[in-house]
mmCIF file of all heavy atoms in Angstrom:
data_model
loop_
_atom_site.group_PDB
_atom_site.id
_atom_site.type_symbol
_atom_site.label_atom_id
_atom_site.label_comp_id
_atom_site.label_asym_id
_atom_site.label_seq_id
_atom_site.Cartn_x
_atom_site.Cartn_y
_atom_site.Cartn_z
ATOM 1 N N ASP A 37 11.789 25.113 26.445
ATOM 2 C CA ASP A 37 10.768 25.970 27.049
ATOM 3 C C ASP A 37 11.362 27.317 27.457
ATOM 4 O O ASP A 37 10.739 28.362 27.278
ATOM 5 C CB ASP A 37 10.140 25.280 28.262
ATOM 6 C CG ASP A 37 9.041 24.302 27.869
ATOM 7 O OD1 ASP A 37 8.510 24.426 26.746
ATOM 8 O OD2 ASP A 37 8.713 23.419 28.673
ATOM 9 N N ALA A 38 12.561 27.275 28.013
ATOM 10 C CA ALA A 38 13.225 28.529 28.391
ATOM 11 C C ALA A 38 13.529 29.371 27.155
ATOM 12 O O ALA A 38 13.300 30.583 27.137
ATOM 13 C CB ALA A 38 14.511 28.226 29.159
ATOM 14 N N ILE A 39 14.032 28.720 26.114
ATOM 15 C CA ILE A 39 14.364 29.431 24.872
ATOM 16 C C ILE A 39 13.119 30.038 24.234
ATOM 17 O O ILE A 39 13.107 31.208 23.834
ATOM 18 C CB ILE A 39 15.054 28.477 23.879
ATOM 19 C CG1 ILE A 39 16.417 28.025 24.421
ATOM 20 C CG2 ILE A 39 15.235 29.149 22.510
ATOM 21 C CD1 ILE A 39 17.004 26.841 23.687
ATOM 22 N N SER A 40 12.048 29.247 24.149
ATOM 23 C CA SER A 40 10.839 29.733 23.483
ATOM 24 C C SER A 40 10.191 30.865 24.269
ATOM 25 O O SER A 40 9.685 31.829 23.679
ATOM 26 C CB SER A 40 9.847 28.583 23.267
ATOM 27 O OG SER A 40 9.482 27.979 24.487
ATOM 28 N N LEU A 41 10.206 30.775 25.592
ATOM 29 C CA LEU A 41 9.619 31.846 26.400
ATOM 30 C C LEU A 41 10.415 33.138 26.259
ATOM 31 O O LEU A 41 9.841 34.227 26.094
ATOM 32 C CB LEU A 41 9.547 31.426 27.869
ATOM 33 C CG LEU A 41 9.002 32.479 28.834
ATOM 34 C CD1 LEU A 41 7.573 32.850 28.479
ATOM 35 C CD2 LEU A 41 9.079 31.985 30.270
ATOM 36 N N LEU A 42 11.732 33.032 26.314
ATOM 37 C CA LEU A 42 12.582 34.217 26.270
ATOM 38 C C LEU A 42 12.656 34.852 24.892
ATOM 39 O O LEU A 42 12.670 36.085 24.770
ATOM 40 C CB LEU A 42 13.992 33.849 26.746
ATOM 41 C CG LEU A 42 14.144 33.506 28.235
ATOM 42 C CD1 LEU A 42 15.538 32.969 28.503
ATOM 43 C CD2 LEU A 42 13.861 34.722 29.106
ATOM 44 N N HIS A 43 12.680 34.035 23.850
ATOM 45 C CA HIS A 43 12.968 34.563 22.518
ATOM 46 C C HIS A 43 11.796 34.480 21.535
ATOM 47 O O HIS A 43 11.799 35.176 20.513
ATOM 48 C CB HIS A 43 14.189 33.853 21.939
ATOM 49 C CG HIS A 43 15.411 33.986 22.803
ATOM 50 N ND1 HIS A 43 16.189 35.123 22.811
ATOM 51 C CD2 HIS A 43 15.961 33.129 23.719
ATOM 52 C CE1 HIS A 43 17.185 34.960 23.682
ATOM 53 N NE2 HIS A 43 17.070 33.764 24.235
ATOM 54 N N LEU A 44 10.810 33.615 21.828
ATOM 55 C CA LEU A 44 9.638 33.517 20.974
ATOM 56 C C LEU A 44 8.389 34.071 21.663
ATOM 57 O O LEU A 44 7.343 34.222 21.035
ATOM 58 C CB LEU A 44 9.386 32.062 20.562
ATOM 59 C CG LEU A 44 10.558 31.329 19.891
ATOM 60 C CD1 LEU A 44 10.182 29.885 19.592
ATOM 61 C CD2 LEU A 44 10.990 32.056 18.624
ATOM 62 N N LYS A 45 8.514 34.324 22.967
ATOM 63 C CA LYS A 45 7.449 34.918 23.787
ATOM 64 C C LYS A 45 6.230 34.015 23.926
ATOM 65 O O LYS A 45 5.147 34.467 24.277
ATOM 66 C CB LYS A 45 7.020 36.284 23.218
ATOM 67 C CG LYS A 45 8.186 37.246 22.997
ATOM 68 C CD LYS A 45 9.001 37.448 24.244
ATOM 69 C CE LYS A 45 10.183 38.373 23.999
ATOM 70 N NZ LYS A 45 11.071 38.491 25.186
ATOM 71 N N ILE A 46 6.389 32.763 23.654
ATOM 72 C CA ILE A 46 5.312 31.782 23.803
ATOM 73 C C ILE A 46 5.983 30.424 23.971
ATOM 74 O O ILE A 46 7.146 30.255 23.612
ATOM 75 C CB ILE A 46 4.366 31.782 22.580
ATOM 76 C CG1 ILE A 46 3.011 31.179 22.916
ATOM 77 C CG2 ILE A 46 5.017 31.085 21.397
ATOM 78 C CD1 ILE A 46 2.109 32.101 23.682
ATOM 79 N N PHE A 47 5.268 29.463 24.540
ATOM 80 C CA PHE A 47 5.852 28.139 24.719
ATOM 81 C C PHE A 47 5.592 27.267 23.500
ATOM 82 O O PHE A 47 4.466 27.199 22.998
ATOM 83 C CB PHE A 47 5.273 27.462 25.961
ATOM 84 C CG PHE A 47 5.749 28.038 27.248
ATOM 85 C CD1 PHE A 47 4.996 28.987 27.928
ATOM 86 C CD2 PHE A 47 6.967 27.646 27.790
ATOM 87 C CE1 PHE A 47 5.439 29.530 29.120
ATOM 88 C CE2 PHE A 47 7.422 28.190 28.984
ATOM 89 C CZ PHE A 47 6.655 29.127 29.650
ATOM 90 N N ALA A 48 6.619 26.572 23.051
ATOM 91 C CA ALA A 48 6.482 25.673 21.905
ATOM 92 C C ALA A 48 5.993 24.292 22.321
ATOM 93 O O ALA A 48 5.369 23.591 21.526
ATOM 94 C CB ALA A 48 7.813 25.548 21.173
ATOM 95 N N GLY A 49 6.271 23.887 23.558
ATOM 96 C CA GLY A 49 5.909 22.542 23.990
ATOM 97 C C GLY A 49 5.000 22.483 25.196
ATOM 98 O O GLY A 49 4.308 21.493 25.410
ATOM 99 N N TYR A 50 4.963 23.524 26.008
ATOM 100 C CA TYR A 50 4.172 23.544 27.240
ATOM 101 C C TYR A 50 2.830 24.201 26.927
ATOM 102 O O TYR A 50 2.630 25.384 27.129
ATOM 103 C CB TYR A 50 4.938 24.311 28.323
ATOM 104 C CG TYR A 50 4.317 24.290 29.688
ATOM 105 C CD1 TYR A 50 3.434 23.294 30.077
ATOM 106 C CD2 TYR A 50 4.642 25.269 30.615
ATOM 107 C CE1 TYR A 50 2.885 23.277 31.336
ATOM 108 C CE2 TYR A 50 4.085 25.267 31.889
ATOM 109 C CZ TYR A 50 3.219 24.266 32.238
ATOM 110 O OH TYR A 50 2.663 24.257 33.504
ATOM 111 N N MET A 51 1.884 23.398 26.424
ATOM 112 C CA MET A 51 0.632 23.938 25.909
ATOM 113 C C MET A 51 -0.265 24.533 26.992
ATOM 114 O O MET A 51 -1.047 25.446 26.730
ATOM 115 C CB MET A 51 -0.130 22.860 25.141
ATOM 116 C CG MET A 51 0.523 22.459 23.830
ATOM 117 S SD MET A 51 0.602 23.843 22.631
ATOM 118 C CE MET A 51 2.348 24.268 22.729
#
Side-chain angles (χ1 to χ4, degrees):
D37 277 340
I39 294 166
S40 59
L41 178 61
L42 291 172
H43 302 281
L44 305 178
K45 307 305 178 185
I46 201 77
F47 288 97
Y50 186 23
M51 291 297 105

